[in-house]
Amino acid sequence: MASEDITKLAESLAKTKVGGGQLSFKGQSLKLNTAEDAEEVIKQIEEFDGLEALRLEGNTVGVEAAKVIAKALEKKRELKRCHWSDMFTGRLRSEIPPALISLGDALIAAGAQLVELDLSDNAFGPDGVRGFEALLKSPACYTLQELKLNNCGMGIGGGKILAAALKECHRKSSAQGKPLALKIFVAGRNRLENDGATALAEAFGIIGTLEEVHMPQNGINHPGITALAQAFAINPLLKVINLNDNTFTEKGAVAMADTLKALRQIEVINFGDCLVRSKGAVAIADAVKEGLHKLKELNLSFCEIKRDAALTVAEAIEDKTELEKLDLNGNCLGEEVCEQLHEILEGFNMASVLGSLSDDEGEEDDDEEEEEEDEDEEDEEEEEQQQLKERGAEEQESLTPKKIIDSQASTPVPSPPVDVATFLAFPSPEKLLRLGPKCSVLIAQQTDTSDVEKVVATLLRISSVFKDEAPVKTAVHETTDALMKKAFSSATFNSDAFISNLLVHMGLLKSEEKIKTVPSLYGILMTLNHMVQQDYFPKSLAPVLSAFVTKPNRALDSCSFARHMLLQTLHQL
């Protein structure tokens, strides 16, 4: 390490905060690559007697540095709290698991008994969960009360690994007479989806001691929400449920409402942006009215709730003396209903609890509401049918939009053939795979790569089916490569026009024309992460792409893991 680097490190370490058994290197932007880089950090750890909490957030720790830091931790038996969020900035995903394994093994060797483990904002993906799986199953975590894994990109696979580790931890700790008593679980922005959420729900049901669950922005639909609701019902100490920005619909909302009736300690309910709709809101209102006397916050914002349902919610909080906030913003109420809400709450002497209604969408016709809900129910049932086919689960029943067919009394209907036009019109992972091994060639052949607009449209359709599962992921990558290699190798293809057009469709660049943007950026961001690493991709486009993906954007914020992955790759080009 150069002398000037040592000086900078020394200056940073001078800011290290020590006190109350805590050693903090938080936010010092230390770049710890080698054992030499970590010497001063190790010295601080070794000299700290009675170390109970170690903060490493906001730094970047490499594999070699992690090994020597781990060596220092092997003697820190008193360590109880590991604040290790955002400590792998700029690292390859392949570097994170071995670093976590080293640190975890050290805690096990030290005989530490952790109370809190925070690995949020580390973007380690499913493989990263393997990095601390052994730690979670070890005696070091039998005493764990808080587990925080926000924004780690675990995906369905990572969620399942995590759930299995928690169940194993509970089994082993129970055998020793002191069952795992986890209180706080945080795993927002992880794309757990239904399968990941369902696996975790099983673990929650076994643990039974949860007080707070935070799982916003995970792409969970009503089957996953229902599984979580069933698990929450056997966690009677629950105080906080935050499932913001998932998709309940009426089915999930009713299941969750039934669970709320069984819970007595609830203080915060955050179902904002969860599409509970009017029927779901009424069911939740009934649960609130029947009990929940400790309720402090109820968030049903941006849920497509209409006038009568919103008024029912307001009336349900009449005797909730602890309530501090009711959020109904962003629903479909209209000015008259907004005024009625204020009047109702004023009558209860609770006007101050109503949050802003500035983003109200205005009143909608009941006919429109019913039509939209019918369409969504059909979409949900079609999605369920698709998921069952993809899983190939023999014991599952095959669902149709209006009827459930007994699987033992019917012969499976063969899947209809798929061609390129069908896939591009209604893209799905199953259709892409059913195109066969030549799907990449077929799609590239049938796309006019001289037309930038058509290339962008085709790329967006391909990327929309991206999944972090090997067959689908490979098919998306190979099809993208065939299409874009053909396009970029054409002398008539305008690369600048392509990137501009793509950014417009992603909602990152304004256009004079009214253009419909893609509903989710996750697939295209993950596909671009692969694409920019290929030889055919013009490196001159990387700075442009980086500039727009770096800018603040709500759509990008909801795909923070994919965004981080792409920016990290672009930075390394």
Side-chain angles (χ1 to χ4, degrees):
M1 180 183 280
S3 59
E4 59 267 26
D5 291 332
I6 294 174
T7 302
K8 287 180 181 177
L9 180 58
E11 289 173 355
S12 292
L13 292 174
K15 302 174 185 175
T16 300
K17 295 178 182 178
V18 179
Q22 174 175 282
L23 178 61
S24 176
F25 301 96
K26 182 178 180 179
Q28 295 183 19
S29 301
L30 302 176
K31 295 181 180 179
L32 308 178
N33 299 316
T34 65
E36 186 182 4
D37 294 341
E39 282 179 356
E40 291 293 330
V41 173
I42 293 165
K43 182 181 177 183
Q44 295 261 8
I45 293 172
E46 289 177 340
E47 293 178 353
F48 196 112
D49 292 329
L51 180 63
E52 294 184 6
L54 178 62
R55 308 195 76 106
L56 292 173
E57 310 104 305
N59 300 290
T60 178
V61 181
V63 176
E64 189 179 338
K67 286 180 180 178
V68 292
I69 292 173
K71 194 70 177 174
L73 290 176
E74 286 179 0
K75 299 175 183 177
K76 299 299 175 182
R77 184 180 180 85
E78 300 91 347
L79 189 61
K80 291 180 174 62
R81 298 184 182 275
C82 297
H83 301 279
W84 295 350
S85 64
D86 188 24
M87 69 172 199
F88 297 111
T89 304
R91 300 288 169 188
L92 296 173
R93 270 177 68 174
S94 58
E95 293 181 85
I96 301 177
L100 288 173
I101 289 170
S102 295
L103 294 167
D105 287 349
L107 297 176
I108 296 169
Q113 293 186 314
L114 295 184
V115 173
E116 179 178 0
L117 177 61
D118 186 354
L119 293 170
S120 300
D121 300 315
N122 277 315
F124 45 58
D127 294 339
V129 185
R130 294 286 189 197
F132 61 94
E133 180 184 15
L135 173 63
L136 278 181
K137 294 179 180 179
S138 76
C141 284
Y142 290 178
T143 51
L144 195 65
Q145 295 180 16
E146 300 180 28
L147 180 58
K148 300 174 182 178
L149 300 166
N150 200 56
N151 190 32
C152 291
M154 290 189 290
I156 293 172
K160 289 181 176 180
I161 296 168
L162 175 61
L166 288 172
K167 288 190 289 184
E168 183 71 359
C169 181
H170 187 273
R171 185 187 68 79
K172 288 182 175 179
S173 57
S174 296
Q176 293 193 4
K178 293 183 178 180
L180 171 67
L182 191 66
K183 294 181 179 179
I184 298 175
F185 179 83
V186 181
R189 294 185 176 184
N190 271 291
R191 292 194 64 81
L192 295 169
E193 300 183 18
N194 289 333
D195 289 350
T198 300
L200 284 167
E202 186 177 337
F204 296 162
I206 292 170
I207 294 168
T209 56
L210 289 167
E211 295 181 10
E212 295 186 21
V213 176
H214 303 264
M215 296 173 65
Q217 293 186 12
N218 270 297
I220 308 170
N221 298 326
H222 74 80
I225 297 297
T226 300
L228 288 172
Q230 292 168 349
F232 293 165
I234 42 182
N235 280 265
L237 302 177
L238 264 175
K239 296 178 181 178
V240 178
I241 302 177
N242 176 7
L243 295 173
N244 189 286
D245 200 6
N246 289 291
T247 308
F248 282 41
T249 63
E250 181 188 346
K251 293 178 182 177
V254 169
M256 195 61 71
D258 288 341
T259 286
L260 291 174
K261 291 177 182 179
L263 300 174
R264 294 289 179 265
Q265 306 301 320
I266 289 291
E267 296 179 2
V268 177
I269 297 171
N270 186 345
F271 297 159
D273 206 8
C274 282
L275 206 67
V276 303
R277 291 214 176 93
S278 294
K279 292 178 182 177
V282 169
I284 292 169
D286 288 343
V288 171
K289 189 171 185 177
E290 288 183 20
L292 305 186
H293 296 293
K294 295 184 179 181
L295 189 64
K296 294 180 179 179
E297 180 177 337
L298 176 59
N299 184 345
L300 294 174
S301 60
F302 299 93
C303 281
E304 293 192 6
I305 298 170
K306 306 303 187 292
R307 46 183 185 269
D308 292 342
L311 296 174
T312 301
V313 171
E315 290 165 354
I317 67 168
E318 180 177 3
D319 62 346
K320 304 298 173 267
T321 56
E322 301 293 319
L323 195 71
E324 298 171 1
K325 185 176 181 181
L326 171 63
D327 193 344
L328 290 170
N329 199 19
N331 287 300
C332 310
L333 309 180
E335 289 184 20
E336 184 179 338
V337 176
C338 289
E339 290 176 6
Q340 284 181 268
L341 285 175
H342 282 287
E343 290 172 2
I344 290 172
L345 294 177
E346 282 176 0
F348 301 155
N349 197 26
M350 297 175 69
S352 62
V353 306
L354 184 62
S356 169
L357 297 171
S358 59
D359 292 321
D360 183 63
E361 295 289 336
E363 189 174 357
E364 287 187 10
D365 292 337
D366 290 338
D367 291 342
E368 289 181 11
E369 175 186 354
E370 290 174 6
E371 184 178 335
E372 287 175 5
E373 291 186 3
D374 288 343
E375 288 176 358
D376 285 333
E377 284 175 7
E378 289 176 6
D379 289 344
E380 286 170 20
E381 289 168 352
E382 185 177 338
E383 181 182 344
E384 288 173 8
Q385 183 182 11
Q386 186 74 17
Q387 288 174 346
L388 294 179
K389 287 180 181 178
E390 290 173 0
R391 289 176 193 154
E394 294 179 0
E395 76 278 9
Q396 292 280 9
E397 295 176 343
S398 177
L399 303 181
T400 60
K402 298 296 180 184
K403 187 177 179 182
I404 301 179
I405 304 173
D406 186 344
S407 59
Q408 295 180 342
S410 62
T411 303
V413 179
S415 299
V418 173
D419 56 20
V420 171
T422 302
F423 166 74
L424 292 177
F426 304 100
S428 73
E430 185 199 32
K431 291 192 183 87
L432 182 62
L433 294 176
R434 277 167 50 201
L435 280 172
K438 293 184 178 181
C439 64
S440 57
V441 176
L442 292 171
I443 290 176
Q445 285 178 344
Q446 296 185 37
T447 303
D448 180 4
T449 51
S450 65
D451 188 329
V452 166
E453 182 72 38
K454 288 181 180 178
V455 172
V456 169
T458 303
L459 176 63
L460 290 172
R461 285 178 171 82
I462 295 167
S463 64
S464 70
V465 306
F466 179 90
K467 279 190 174 183
D468 202 21
E469 298 171 4
V472 177
K473 185 177 181 179
T474 300
V476 169
H477 286 173
E478 290 178 350
T479 307
T480 298
D481 289 343
L483 173 69
M484 298 314 304
K485 188 174 183 179
K486 178 186 175 186
F488 285 126
S489 62
S490 171
T492 59
F493 188 71
N494 189 328
S495 299
D496 292 334
F498 163 77
I499 200 70
S500 297
N501 195 292
L502 179 61
L503 290 168
V504 167
H505 281 82
M506 290 173 69
L508 307 182
L509 181 64
K510 290 184 179 179
S511 171
E512 293 181 1
E513 300 176 10
K514 189 174 181 180
I515 292 177
K516 186 177 181 181
T517 58
V518 293
S520 171
L521 294 180
Y522 180 77
I524 185 60
L525 289 172
M526 294 300 286
T527 303
L528 283 169
N529 184 54
H530 165 80
M531 202 169 107
V532 299
Q533 299 177 62
Q534 309 311 308
D535 292 339
Y536 61 73
F537 185 81
K539 297 301 181 276
S540 61
L541 299 182
V544 179
L545 191 56
S546 180
F548 280 92
V549 176
T550 305
K551 288 182 178 181
N553 183 283
R554 187 176 178 183
L556 286 170
D557 289 343
S558 65
C559 303
S560 54
F561 168 70
R563 178 192 207 176
H564 174 82
M565 292 292 296
L566 177 57
L567 287 174
Q568 185 171 272
T569 301
L570 289 168
H571 180 70
Q572 293 167 356
L573 290 178

